[in-house]
């Protein structure tokens, strides 16, 4: 890795670690201090390494600097007397050592994850906080991922941190009785973080992949921890593996999305597919089926490219069950697509018309697809409506392509 | 939007179907419920298996417990789902789609769920 790539990479991974450990030590109300110390550490790295070259063990270098900066900061501020002295119980400030052991880092990150996913914080802000504190994303990168500007993200983060303060959210592991409810919110946030990357409108495909990878890394943290190694967590991870297996096949050289049935499956990542299967298998115990189980199973069937009756019958039944747990227009539309594969286009059109999602361009794209063979006129009319409703460039482009294919 | 219970009655619950037949019914039932769910009108539902069913009857000798399914009573309840509908007519349309009605003599009762506001 070249130096100009090395620093951003290290920044991502190590910033979040240093930040989590410090925030856990100081309490959530001093989250900004933790961020500052971590930032200063990287500033030192940037200044020193540019002239003297990258040290042999850059991570160890960073930890030493972070520890020194933390120690200096504590001796300077009141935080020290309030928070650290009781912890040190008699140790003097000169022997204070910030614990950057692997175990403490993992514990801190996990506990931060639970703290950030507090129900009082809006989902959007939870994701932004996770990206900042747990994934070490810069403000500009977060703004880029959300297709908004730095000010908006800064405000969002500020409000969320204030809320964590006023709610006096503790950075700790939830008790056994709370773990299931807390875990639900954490999983939703990780799922949304992943989707933000997978479906993002952002043109920056590197950021998109990073978001997905970070979501996967955090989910894996939960799996590696015994108390949170639960079926729904494994199912979510499995779902992420299946989806990312198609990453290389999803985007062409012009950075445009390639639809599933046009993908070159030799570009699919079969290692990730088998990992997905492994974790889906690990998810298959207990007596609760989460939406992640169902979605991972659907994603599994999509890794079978061959159009068999068995495949689509299974997918349809999975959508039937998924909709009972979780309704969204997109799931309803995906179900109709599977329905058309099992029954017929004509029957699927009848079924689709019951939905009347007349504000949704995907609804008309689907109808256009279903009419395509038998009634080109109607197909065109539907796609025209879709084009009017579509908002983003890439959506408009793919609808225009469908219209062209009718000719 | 009101909530309605669709109560599915089988003419003769003792009839034994083949595993293949059961499989087909299951799929049809799931497609039916999936279709209602896809319109965001599904609330909840459950099958009511006959295994281990009991009937408690009040009599002059006290409360008598018998094994189901249910002696002389011809009809048995096989399942219940709760849906959302704008009117009883819409609820009836949903009910008509149920595969239960493929069996002659079977029926579905549509009942409005009482609101929890004391007005019914």
């Amino acid at each position: 890795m070249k130096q100009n790539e090395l620093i951003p990479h290290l920044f991502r991974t190590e910033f979040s670690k240093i930040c989590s450990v410090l925030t856990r030590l100081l309490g959530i109300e001093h989250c900004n201090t933790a961020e500052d110390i971590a930032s200063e550490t990287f500033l030192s790295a940037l200044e020193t390494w540019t002239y003297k070259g990258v040290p042999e063990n850059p991570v160890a270098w960073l930890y030493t600097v972070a520890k020194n900066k933390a120690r200096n900061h504590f001796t300077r501020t009141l935080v020290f007397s309030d928070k650290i002295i009781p912890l040190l119980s008699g140790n003097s400030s000169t022997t204070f050592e910030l614990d950057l052991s692997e175990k403490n880092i993992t514990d801190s990150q996990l506990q931060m994850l639970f703290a950030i996913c507090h129900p009082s914080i809006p989902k959007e802000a939870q994701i932004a906080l996770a990206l900042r504190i747990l994934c070490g994303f810069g403000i500009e990168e977060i703004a880029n991922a959300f297709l908004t500007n730095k000010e908006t993200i800064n405000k969002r983060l500020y409000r969320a941190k204030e809320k964590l303060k006023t709610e006096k959210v503790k950075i700790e592991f939830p008790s056994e009785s709370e773990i299931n409810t807390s875990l639900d919110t954490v999983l939703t946030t990780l799922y949304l973080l992943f989707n933000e990357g997978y479906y993002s409108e952002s043109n920056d495909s590197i950021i998109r992949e990073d978001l997905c990878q970070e979501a996967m890394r955090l989910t894996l943290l939960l799996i590696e921890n015994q108390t949170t190694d639960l079926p729904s967590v494994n199912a979510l991870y499995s779902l992420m593996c299946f989806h990312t297996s198609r990453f290389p096949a999803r985007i062409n050289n012009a950075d445009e999305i390639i639809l599933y049935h046009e993908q070159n499956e030799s570009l699919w990542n079969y290692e990730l597919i088998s990992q997905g299967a492994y974790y889906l298998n690990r998810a298959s115990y207990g007596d609760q089926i989460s939406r992640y189980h169902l979605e991972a199973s659907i994603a599994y069937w999509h890794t079978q490219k061959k159009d068999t009756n068995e495949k689509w019958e299974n997918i349809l039944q999975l959508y039937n069950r998924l909709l009972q747990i979780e309704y969204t227009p997109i799931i309803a539309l995906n179900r109709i697509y599977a329905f058309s594969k099992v029954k017929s286009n004509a029957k699927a059109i009848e079924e689709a018309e019951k939905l009347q999602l007349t504000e949704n361009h995907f609804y008309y794209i689907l109808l256009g697809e279903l009419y395509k063979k038998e009634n080109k006129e109607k197909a065109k009319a539907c796609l025209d409506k879709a084009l009017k409703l579509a908002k983003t460039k890439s959506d408009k482009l793919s609808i225009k392509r469908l219209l062209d294919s009718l000719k | 939007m009101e909530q309605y219970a669709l109560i599915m009655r089988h003419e003769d619950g003792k009839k034994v179907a083949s595993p293949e037949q059961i499989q087909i019914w299951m799929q049809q039932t799931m497609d039916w419920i999936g279709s209602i769910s896809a319109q965001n009108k599904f609330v909840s539902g459950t099958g009511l298996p006959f295994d281990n069913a009991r009937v408690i009857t009040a009599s002059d000798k006290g409360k008598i417990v018998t094994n189901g399914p249910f002696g002389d009573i011809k009809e048995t309840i096989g399942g219940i789902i709760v849906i959302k509908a704008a009117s009883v007519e819409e609820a009836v349309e949903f009910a008509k789609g149920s595969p239960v009605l493929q069996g002659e003599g079977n029926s579905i009762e549509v009942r409005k769920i009482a609101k929890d506001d004391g007005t019914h």
Side-chain angles (χ1 to χ4, degrees), chain A residues 38-104:
Chain A
S39 297
E40 281 169 29
T41 304
F42 282 90
L43 209 60
S44 301
L46 208 59
E47 284 163 355
T48 317
W49 298 359
T50 316
Y51 298 106
K52 295 190 178 160
V54 179
E56 214 165 283
N57 186 342
V59 175
W61 190 99
L62 288 171
Y63 287 180
T64 312
V65 174
K67 284 173 187 173
N68 287 337
K69 288 202 185 289
R71 188 186 302 130
N72 291 343
H73 178 83
F74 296 151
T75 38
R76 275 201 314 266
T77 58
L78 280 172
V79 176
F80 184 78
S81 53
D82 288 352
K83 291 270 175 186
I84 309 303
I85 286 180
L87 286 176
L88 294 177
S89 59
N91 285 354
S92 76
S93 64
T94 45
T95 58
F96 166 75
E97 174 100 353
L98 189 62
D99 180 4
L100 284 165
S101 64
E102 214 182 299
K103 179 169 187 316
N104 195 42

Side-chain angles (χ1 to χ4, degrees), chain A residues 229-236 238 276-290 293 296-297:
Chain A
D229 182 15
L230 295 169
S232 55
V233 185
N234 282 277
L236 176 60
S238 156
Y278 170 76
Y279 284 99
L280 189 56
N281 195 20
R282 281 192 95 226
S284 309
Y285 71 93
D287 53 6
Q288 292 228 332
I289 291 193
S290 66
H293 283 91
S297 305

Side-chain angles (χ1 to χ4, degrees), chain A residues 363-372 378-379 382-383 406:
Chain A
Y363 175 66
Y364 287 109
I365 293 177
L366 178 70
L367 277 176
E369 215 29 58
L370 295 174
Y371 275 120
K372 199 165 74 181
K378 272 207 160 156
C382 291
L383 290 173
L406 283 179

Side-chain angles (χ1 to χ4, degrees), chain A residues 13-65:
Chain A
T13 52
E14 301 308 323
F15 176 94
S16 61
K17 291 179 185 172
I18 296 170
C19 213
S20 296
V21 168
L22 278 166
T23 312
R24 181 183 170 210
L25 183 70
L26 302 174
I28 202 99
E29 65 272 30
H30 296 291
C31 166
N32 283 336
T33 311
E35 273 183 58
D36 286 346
I37 293 175
S39 297
E40 281 169 29
T41 304
F42 282 90
L43 209 60
S44 301
L46 208 59
E47 284 163 355
T48 317
W49 298 359
T50 316
Y51 298 106
K52 295 190 178 160
V54 179
E56 214 165 283
N57 186 342
V59 175
W61 190 99
L62 288 171
Y63 287 180
T64 312
V65 174

Side-chain angles (χ1 to χ4, degrees), chain B residues 12-32:
Chain B
D12 186 356
K14 276 186 277 192
K15 240 187 251 167
V16 182
S18 67
E20 292 77 21
Q21 188 57 46
I22 290 175
Q23 165 98 15
I24 292 170
W25 282 341
M26 278 297 292
Q27 267 178 13
Q28 288 177 338
T29 306
M30 288 302 286
D31 285 345
W32 174 56

